[in-house]
């Protein structure tokens, strides 16, 4: 695309951002200002300017965002772009580790532990150190370890009791040839510091780096970026949308960028293409109360639009019914599909009343942030088999499947295996083979610590894994879906489910259908023409990263979107409801307490919620709400007072519907259901 065409497609600020290729660049992109458009046009322009694909690295935060970027660049250029790297930070970390991790003592085919696996390893290490049950809150300890790794927290005297546990956890990861999610950023940094020649290799390759959602980068991610970037680095972000400090995000990275790259240029994108002037003025009015921010004022050419409606229902049931009735009314009167509505909440605890009302009003909906498909037990069991087939030394997953389905390997046997593993410093897999070898070669059955039957059961398990490894890795790893189906049949998993759910055959069959869905998804992935590596290791890396970010993007068409404000980031809806706008909910009481009374991030969260709306925004604040302690009086969120008064109207329940309007609604309903 030539320069003149770019001028026609972009506003002046966007044009500057797209065509400024050389040198450090900070792009402050307000909500709805065409950020993704700028990034994709910028990459396309770089390619048109003769920059090689393999010299460009674009980093973002979700697989969905990376996929969307890649697809849009392909559309703009009409090229396949097989050597262009558009990736999440974590997926890029995996890419580095696959090639370089042997430099720090791991083997190439390492496993990536998700939160469930991490917590199990923490439990195992705590058991080994004889931690009492009272001293081990696994969630709290896991959170501590994560914050230590990403540099958000330092070891303090209050946490010293967990330091030995942390060290054992770290050595356990290495023993099992595994890494956790924080390692996907931390270990590449370690490699770059300890092996400067490796860093230089990557710096020479990636001459042009872009970082999306820069305000969400952690200190660790900033360090990785800063190590790689020479001078041609562009970061895109909005400090007003920094809402992930609890996940390690550091919005002050923008200030660090200005300090580290003093000759940088700054471009501000302030024209909003999403929302009405009313919604933007409300958002500007709220966020202006934050002091630690770059001043900016979003503006829109979309017209003033309708006022923001605030409703003060008696309780959460009345609030939920108000939302349901307004959705049905607007859906009929404005002929909107259900997926054009977003219902945003500050915490998942607020979903119950809304879900019940949706069910009562026959409104189809989807809840973001529920149990991931890949966290369901039957799916984790199948994936655990695949992880052990890929990496025998993955103790967490091996222990999960060694007796699933049941094969006579009980607690006493596992204790004996674990004892050998601990004494010799080896993995569970190696300990099993040691015990089998000792029994068969050196000892009579009487001298062995395990019975001949137990040894036979262990041999059968080892044989199963080795045979499946041979089958799945054969032929270059092709036809993975068929091989996984054969493995599920081989282990008799359906029979296992029928035994587990003897009183509920329907539940057993439902769970087995989930496994069928998994196998079908593998087949679709294999058949994707853009997928050049359909082997087992590639698949395992993919699902680990996907389940972390946004596994269930699809299947939401035709359904109302009920989600937390955090989950709504990056999305937009014609009509938005913000429920539970009350003191203690938003701003959230616990977050204010943890941040010494600072409510600026909570205000940014409210700003994000407002700017999800394109045409119409409703905000509800209950007068009373049922909590664990009983029914409590509620106070409206102080953020409501920060919305300029002339933009707001207080909602009054609709009066009786006229006969003419009722007939019109019935006609519309008939037309809707007849199609």
């Amino acid at each position: 695309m030539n320069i003149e065409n770019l001028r026609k497609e972009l506003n002046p600020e966007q044009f500057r951002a797209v065509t400024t290729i050389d040198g450090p660049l900070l792009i402050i992109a307000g909500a709805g200002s065409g950020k993704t458009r700028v990034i994709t046009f910028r990459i396309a322009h770089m390619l048109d300017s003769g920059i090689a694909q393999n010299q460009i690295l674009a980093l973002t935060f979700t697989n969905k965002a990376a996929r969307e970027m890649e697809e849009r660049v392909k559309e703009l250029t009409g090229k396949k772009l097989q050597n262009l790297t558009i990736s999440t930070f974590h997926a890029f970390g995996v890419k580095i580790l696959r090639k370089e991790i042997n430099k720090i003592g791991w083997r190439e085919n390492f496993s990536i532990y998700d939160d469930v696996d991490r917590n199990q390893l923490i439990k195992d290490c705590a058991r080994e150190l004889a931690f009492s049950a009272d001293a081990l809150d696994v969630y709290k300890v896991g959170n501590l370890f994560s914050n230590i790794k990403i540099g958000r927290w330092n070891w303090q005297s209050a946490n010293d009791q967990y330091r030995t546990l942390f060290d054992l956890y770290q050595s356990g990861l290495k023993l099992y040839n595994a890494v956790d999610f924080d390692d996907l950023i931390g270990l590449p940094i370690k490699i770059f510091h300890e092996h400067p020649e490796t860093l230089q290799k990557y710096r020479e390759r990636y001459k042009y780096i872009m970082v999306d959602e820069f305000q969400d980068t952690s200190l660790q991610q900033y360090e990785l970026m800063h190590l790689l970037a020479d001078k041609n680095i562009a970061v895109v972000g909005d400090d007003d949308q920094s809402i992930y400090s609890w996940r390690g995000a550091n919005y002050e990275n923008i200030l660090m960028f200005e300090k580290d790259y003093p000759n940088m240029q700054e471009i501000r994108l302030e024209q909003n293409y999403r929302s009405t002037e009313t919604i933007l003025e409300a958002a500007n009015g709220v966020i202006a109360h934050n002091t630690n921010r770059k001043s900016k004022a979003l503006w829109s050419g979309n017209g003033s639009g309708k006022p923001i409606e605030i409703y003060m229902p008696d309780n959460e049931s009345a609030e939920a019914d108000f939302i349901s009735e307004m959705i049905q009314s607007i859906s009929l009167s404005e002929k909107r599909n259900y997926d054009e509505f977003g219902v945003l909440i500050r915490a998942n605890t607020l979903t119950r009343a809304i879900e019940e009302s949706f069910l009562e009003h026959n409104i189809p909906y989807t809840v973001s942030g529920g149990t991931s498909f890949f966290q369901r037990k039957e799916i984790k069991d199948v994936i655990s088999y695949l992880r052990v087939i890929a990496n025998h030394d993955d103790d967490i997953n091996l222990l999960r499947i060694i007796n699933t389905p049941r094969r006579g390997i009980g607690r006493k046997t596992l204790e004996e295996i674990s004892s050998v593993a601990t004494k010799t410093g080896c993995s569970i897999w190696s300990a099993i083979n040691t015990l089998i070898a000792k029994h068969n070669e050196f000892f009579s059955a009487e001298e062995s610590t395990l019975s001949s039957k137990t040894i036979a059961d262990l041999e059968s398990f080892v044989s199963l894994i080795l045979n499946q490894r041979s089958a799945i890795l054969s032929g270059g790893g092709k036809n993975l879906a068929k091989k996984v189906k054969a493995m599920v049949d081989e282990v008799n998993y359906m029979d296992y489910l029928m035994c587990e759910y003897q009183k509920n055959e329907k539940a057993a069959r439902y769970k087995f259908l989930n496994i069928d869905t998994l196998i079908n998804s593998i087949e679709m992935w294999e058949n994707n023409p853009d997928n050049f590596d359909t082997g087992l290791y590639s698949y395992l890396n993919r699902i680990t990263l996907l389940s972390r970010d946004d596994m269930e993007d699809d299947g939401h068409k035709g359904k109302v979107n009920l989600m937390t404000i955090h989950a709504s980031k990056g999305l937009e809806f014609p009509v938005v409801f913000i429920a539970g706008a009350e003191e203690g909910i938003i701003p959230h009481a616990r977050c204010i307490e943890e941040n010494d009374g600072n409510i600026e991030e909570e205000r940014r969260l409210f700003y994000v919620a407002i700017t999800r709306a394109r045409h119409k925004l409703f905000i509800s604040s209950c007068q009373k709400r049922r909590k664990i302690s009983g029914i409590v009086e509620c106070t409206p969120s102080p953020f409501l007072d920060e919305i300029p008064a002339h933009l707001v109207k207080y909602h009054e329940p609709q009066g009786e519907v006229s006969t003419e309007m009722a007939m019109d609604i019935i006609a519309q309903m008939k037309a809707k259901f007849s199609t």
Side-chain angles (χ1 to χ4, degrees):
M1 187 176 291
N2 63 39
I3 293 293
E4 289 311 310
N5 285 336
L6 283 177
R7 286 187 196 278
K8 292 175 186 174
E9 291 283 345
L10 306 166
N11 69 37
E13 289 77 20
Q14 290 176 333
F15 178 79
R16 270 189 66 210
V18 165
T19 55
T20 304
I21 293 175
D22 296 318
L25 177 64
L26 170 62
I27 303 170
I28 301 295
S33 62
K35 172 176 67 74
T36 304
R37 182 178 177 80
V38 164
I39 293 171
T40 52
F41 269 79
R42 192 172 188 274
I43 294 171
H45 178 62
M46 289 162 75
L47 293 168
D48 285 345
S49 301
I51 294 169
Q53 292 178 32
N54 63 0
Q55 291 188 320
I56 299 172
L57 169 63
L59 296 170
T60 187
F61 277 82
T62 67
N63 293 286
K64 182 181 179 183
R67 282 196 305 270
E68 183 183 347
M69 258 185 233
E70 188 172 352
E71 286 164 7
R72 286 172 70 168
V73 174
K74 285 179 180 177
E75 284 175 17
L76 284 172
T77 61
K79 298 174 182 175
K80 290 187 176 180
L81 305 178
Q82 294 173 11
N83 296 318
L84 179 68
T85 305
I86 299 178
S87 167
T88 66
F89 269 94
H90 289 98
F92 182 64
V94 171
K95 186 173 183 175
I96 295 171
L97 293 178
R98 283 287 165 219
K99 293 180 179 177
E100 317 294 349
I101 200 168
N102 60 325
K103 290 182 171 64
I104 52 173
W106 274 260
R107 296 183 300 284
E108 287 179 6
N109 288 327
F110 57 86
S111 297
I112 304 171
Y113 279 8
D114 62 15
D115 289 345
V116 176
D117 299 329
R118 180 193 68 177
N119 291 346
Q120 185 60 53
L121 180 56
I122 290 172
K123 285 181 190 174
D124 292 343
C125 293
R127 195 179 303 118
E128 195 172 326
L129 293 172
F131 269 74
S132 68
D134 293 338
L136 191 72
D137 179 333
V138 174
Y139 174 80
K140 178 182 171 184
V141 171
N143 193 44
L144 167 66
F145 288 3
S146 180
N147 278 295
I148 292 290
K149 285 192 173 193
I150 65 176
R152 188 179 175 211
W153 294 349
N154 294 314
W155 286 109
Q156 299 168 348
S157 57
N159 296 321
D160 275 350
Q161 61 173 316
Y162 296 112
R163 203 155 186 173
T164 308
L165 178 58
F166 178 79
D167 291 339
L168 191 61
Y169 168 74
Q170 288 293 90
S171 62
L173 284 172
K174 197 163 188 179
L175 173 65
Y176 306 145
N177 200 39
V179 299
D180 63 24
F181 263 82
D182 298 316
D183 291 330
L184 298 181
I185 310 297
L187 291 183
I189 291 172
K190 178 181 171 70
I191 291 168
F192 288 161
H193 280 305
E194 294 179 3
H195 299 272
E197 74 287 354
T198 302
L199 172 60
Q200 190 56 34
K201 178 177 72 176
Y202 283 90
R203 283 172 68 96
E204 287 175 3
R205 162 143 190 207
Y206 296 112
K207 296 286 190 183
Y208 296 85
I209 297 176
M210 291 192 70
V211 180
D212 184 23
E213 302 288 6
F214 184 61
Q215 77 283 343
D216 292 336
T217 51
S218 66
L219 286 167
Q220 199 182 44
Q221 288 162 334
Y222 182 90
E223 183 179 0
L224 179 65
M225 176 213 83
H226 191 215
L227 281 168
L228 285 168
D230 181 13
K231 58 178 182 177
N232 298 322
I233 168 76
V235 298
V236 187
D238 179 8
D239 53 343
D240 287 338
Q241 296 187 71
S242 180
I243 58 173
Y244 292 112
S245 67
W246 50 275
R247 203 164 73 181
N250 182 29
Y251 72 93
E252 291 184 348
N253 283 353
I254 291 177
L255 300 177
M256 287 173 60
F257 184 82
E258 292 172 329
K259 179 184 171 189
D260 289 334
Y261 299 92
N263 61 334
M264 60 134 227
Q265 295 186 61
E266 180 180 311
I267 298 171
R268 300 191 183 195
L269 307 180
E270 295 176 309
Q271 182 176 356
N272 176 286
Y273 292 90
R274 176 189 299 158
S275 307
T276 63
E277 290 171 7
T278 295
I279 290 167
L280 286 186
E281 193 178 342
N284 288 335
V286 169
I287 203 64
H289 288 78
N290 272 8
T291 55
N292 198 358
R293 64 183 288 264
K294 282 184 170 289
S295 62
K296 66 185 82 68
L298 295 181
W299 61 277
S300 169
N302 294 337
S304 59
K306 297 177 181 177
I308 292 165
E309 290 194 41
I310 295 178
Y311 184 46
M312 303 283 191
D314 289 338
N315 53 41
E316 66 268 30
S317 295
E319 176 183 56
D321 287 341
F322 160 73
I323 292 170
S324 294
E325 287 159 11
M326 288 306 301
I327 287 173
Q328 286 185 321
S329 172
I330 294 170
S331 175
L332 287 168
S333 63
E334 298 182 15
K335 297 181 174 58
R336 292 196 181 277
N337 296 323
Y338 281 130
D339 56 14
E340 295 180 71
F341 296 87
V343 181
L344 311 185
I345 51 175
R346 175 62 182 86
N348 276 316
T349 52
L350 301 181
T351 65
R352 184 194 57 80
I354 298 171
E355 286 192 71
E356 286 178 359
S357 181
F358 283 170
L359 291 169
E360 189 178 329
H361 287 81
N362 293 317
I363 295 174
Y365 68 94
T366 180
V367 181
S368 294
T371 301
S372 162
F373 177 76
F374 282 81
Q375 292 300 311
R376 294 173 185 173
K377 182 187 181 302
E378 62 276 15
I379 302 302
K380 276 194 75 73
D381 284 345
V382 174
I383 298 300
S384 288
Y385 270 99
L386 296 178
R387 292 197 190 285
V388 173
I389 287 165
N391 173 15
H392 294 161
D393 295 325
D394 184 341
D395 281 11
I396 300 292
N397 285 292
L398 189 146
L399 290 170
R400 182 184 185 93
I401 62 167
I402 193 169
N403 206 36
T404 304
R406 304 191 192 288
R407 48 176 65 91
I409 302 170
R411 182 186 293 264
K412 185 179 175 185
T413 304
L414 292 177
E415 286 175 355
E416 181 69 25
I417 295 168
S418 296
S419 175
V420 171
T422 302
K423 284 177 185 174
T424 58
C426 69
S427 67
I428 296 293
W429 175 266
S430 297
I432 291 171
N433 284 287
T434 297
L435 286 166
I436 292 171
K438 281 185 176 181
H439 182 279
N440 291 342
E441 296 174 27
F442 301 110
F443 292 94
S444 67
E446 290 78 21
E447 293 172 311
S448 176
T449 53
L450 297 176
S451 69
S452 294
K453 181 186 180 306
T454 299
I455 291 294
D457 291 335
L458 290 172
E459 286 178 324
S460 175
F461 174 71
V462 168
S463 177
L464 170 72
I465 297 300
L466 291 176
N467 289 341
Q468 286 298 326
R469 179 181 174 85
S470 176
I472 287 176
L473 298 183
S474 66
K478 292 181 179 177
N479 297 315
L480 184 60
K482 282 185 181 177
K483 292 171 181 176
V484 172
K485 186 177 189 313
M487 181 197 75
V488 171
D489 292 341
E490 174 72 17
V491 301
N492 294 319
Y493 198 85
M494 183 61 193
D495 290 348
Y496 162 71
L497 287 174
M498 295 299 280
C499 289
E500 289 290 297
Y501 296 90
Q502 289 179 6
K503 296 180 180 178
N504 192 345
E505 184 180 327
K506 189 175 180 182
R509 295 196 179 281
Y510 172 77
K511 289 183 175 295
F512 200 74
L513 280 174
N514 283 338
I515 294 174
D516 278 345
T517 300
L518 172 71
I519 292 167
N520 289 336
S521 74
I522 295 173
E523 188 173 11
M524 287 175 65
W525 172 75
E526 286 182 290
N527 292 333
N528 184 337
D530 291 333
N531 186 4
F532 299 101
D533 182 0
T534 57
L536 176 62
Y537 297 111
S538 176
Y539 177 72
L540 290 176
N541 285 339
R542 171 183 176 269
I543 61 168
T544 304
L545 294 165
L546 279 177
S547 61
R548 175 78 171 192
D549 289 332
D550 42 12
M551 194 56 234
E552 299 186 63
D553 289 339
D554 303 324
H556 295 181
K557 291 182 178 177
K559 297 178 182 179
V560 172
N561 300 273
L562 173 58
M563 60 180 62
T564 63
I565 301 171
H566 282 102
S568 75
K569 183 133 181 311
L571 303 177
E572 59 181 66
F573 305 99
V575 183
V576 165
F577 295 82
I578 302 174
E582 297 143 32
E583 180 80 67
I585 294 178
I586 183 160
H588 199 283
R590 190 183 71 242
C591 293
I592 295 173
E593 184 182 333
E594 290 175 356
N595 288 287
D596 299 322
N598 188 336
I599 65 170
E600 293 214 344
E601 178 153 335
E602 289 293 296
R603 187 179 281 113
R604 291 196 291 270
L605 196 58
F606 193 64
Y607 170 84
V608 166
I610 291 172
T611 54
R612 298 312 94 198
R614 291 174 58 194
H615 305 309
K616 184 69 180 164
L617 175 63
F618 296 87
I619 305 174
S620 53
S621 175
C622 292
Q623 298 175 46
K624 296 176 184 175
R625 187 174 289 276
R626 184 179 296 278
K627 296 189 177 177
I628 296 172
S629 55
I631 295 174
V632 298
E633 298 282 339
C634 300
T635 304
S637 168
F639 298 150
L640 296 182
D641 289 334
E642 296 175 357
I643 299 174
H646 68 279
L647 304 175
V648 170
K649 86 169 187 181
Y650 283 83
H651 180 85
E652 296 295 335
Q654 289 184 338
E656 288 187 12
V657 177
S658 68
T659 304
E660 186 180 343
M661 185 178 289
M663 295 299 290
D664 185 46
I665 289 172
I666 291 169
Q668 288 185 47
M669 288 179 71
K670 281 182 178 177
K672 190 169 187 176
F673 288 113
S674 65
T675 56

